[in-house]
Amino acid sequence: KAGVTQTPRYLIKTRGQQVTLSCSPISGHRSVSWYQQTPGQGLQFLFEYFSETQRNKGNFPGRFSGRQFSNSRSEMNVSTLELGDSALYLCASSLLEPGLAGGLVETQYFGPGTRLLVL
Amino acid sequence: GNSVTQMEGPVTLSEEAFLTINCTYTATGYPSLFWYVQYPGEGLQLLLKATKADDKGSNKGFEATYRKETTSFHLEKGSVQVSDSAVYFCARQGDSNYQLIWGAGTKLIIKP
């Protein structure tokens, strides 16, 4: 199966602009999560979508939004970009599977990321 | 609370040395545990996982055992290579949802 793909891989924007990033999950995966990774803050969870609905949300301002389409592809949008939004944005798709202990396990598989630079 | 604590890096070793990266977690139950690796300029890759107590995950010479008594999931490798240089993340599955709770990551540097 093809892995998670993210487009574009690199992006340069200026302050005040908006940006849209795209993520195509592994075929059959219905959940997509987004993360922001910066050297100072590490890996921070943005939001998760499942079956076109936002299922979980991290602590980011409303400038960060997302959506998921019926084919499970997801987009995230950042409006009014700030210098601090420069980061690697990672997308992960996942599938719920039975675990050995009888519960359910959701394993996340990551894409290569989109590196955003805000000038 | 619910957290994952990893040993602080960077960890610097010589090639063929034995590696241990410590990871401990807090949880009310027995969540699934994961190790991910991030090579320079890339996204995260699943390295191994364990879904129940005493389970051992292994991949590419790396191993980690789910120890519920010590709430730990330490990553080990018997003989590291320069190509193992990367950042390693420990994570656990959330209690009320399936979102992962992440450690801060440990940078590993292997010198030839």
Side-chain angles (χ1 to χ4, degrees):
Chain A
K1 279 185 180 178
V4 178
T5 57
Q6 291 187 246
T7 56
R9 292 292 311 277
Y10 304 93
L11 206 47
I12 300 175
K13 292 285 187 179
T14 56
R15 277 184 303 173
Q17 287 187 308
Q18 75 163 15
V19 67
T20 298
L21 311 182
S22 180
C23 172
S24 292
I26 293 170
S27 177
H29 288 196
R30 294 167 64 190
S31 171
V32 173
S33 298
W34 288 90
Y35 294 86
Q36 182 195 66
Q37 187 179 32
T38 58
Q41 297 295 320
L43 199 62
Q44 293 190 285
F45 171 68
L46 281 155
F47 29 64
E48 180 204 10
Y49 286 86
F50 178 82
S51 292
E52 302 180 65
T53 301
Q54 189 179 84
R55 186 162 69 172
N56 291 297
K57 188 177 188 304
N59 295 323
F60 276 79
R63 299 187 296 109
F64 292 82
S65 63
R67 59 178 176 168
Q68 187 180 34
F69 302 94
S70 58
N71 62 358
S72 293
R73 190 177 70 85
S74 177
E75 289 181 347
M76 69 161 279
N77 185 278
V78 188
S79 62
T80 320
L81 283 166
E82 300 176 0
L83 295 180
D85 297 332
S86 295
L88 179 67
Y89 290 88
L90 293 164
C91 162
S93 76
S94 55
L95 189 66
L96 271 178
E97 299 168 297
L100 294 177
L104 293 172
V105 180
E106 186 169 274
T107 303
Q108 295 190 356
Y109 298 89
F110 284 80
T114 294
R115 189 164 295 280
L116 172 66
L117 177 61
V118 182
L119 301 175
Chain B
N2 297 324
S3 67
V4 176
T5 303
Q6 293 181 233
M7 65 191 290
E8 209 168 307
V11 173
T12 304
L13 296 171
S14 297
E15 207 166 17
E16 299 184 2
F18 185 88
L19 168 71
T20 300
I21 299 179
N22 291 338
C23 173
T24 58
Y25 65 91
T26 59
T28 53
Y30 303 108
S32 295
L33 303 172
F34 305 82
W35 276 103
Y36 284 82
V37 58
Q38 185 176 32
Y39 298 103
E42 299 184 11
L44 276 69
Q45 297 178 23
L46 176 67
L47 184 57
L48 52 84
K49 67 181 180 184
T51 61
K52 71 179 179 76
D54 301 322
D55 192 18
K56 178 186 282 188
S58 61
N59 185 26
K60 299 181 181 180
F62 291 90
E63 290 185 340
T65 301
Y66 192 141
R67 304 277 188 207
K68 70 176 188 292
E69 303 84 2
T70 53
T71 60
S72 65
F73 192 53
H74 303 324
L75 183 68
E76 297 181 335
K77 186 174 184 182
S79 176
V80 292
Q81 306 299 313
V82 172
S83 57
D84 294 326
S85 298
V87 180
Y88 292 80
F89 291 90
C90 182
R92 57 157 282 219
Q93 190 161 299
D95 296 319
S96 57
N97 59 45
Y98 295 102
Q99 270 306 310
L100 294 181
I101 299 169
W102 295 88
T106 302
K107 184 172 184 177
L108 175 65
I109 300 169
I110 306 299
K111 296 188 172 180

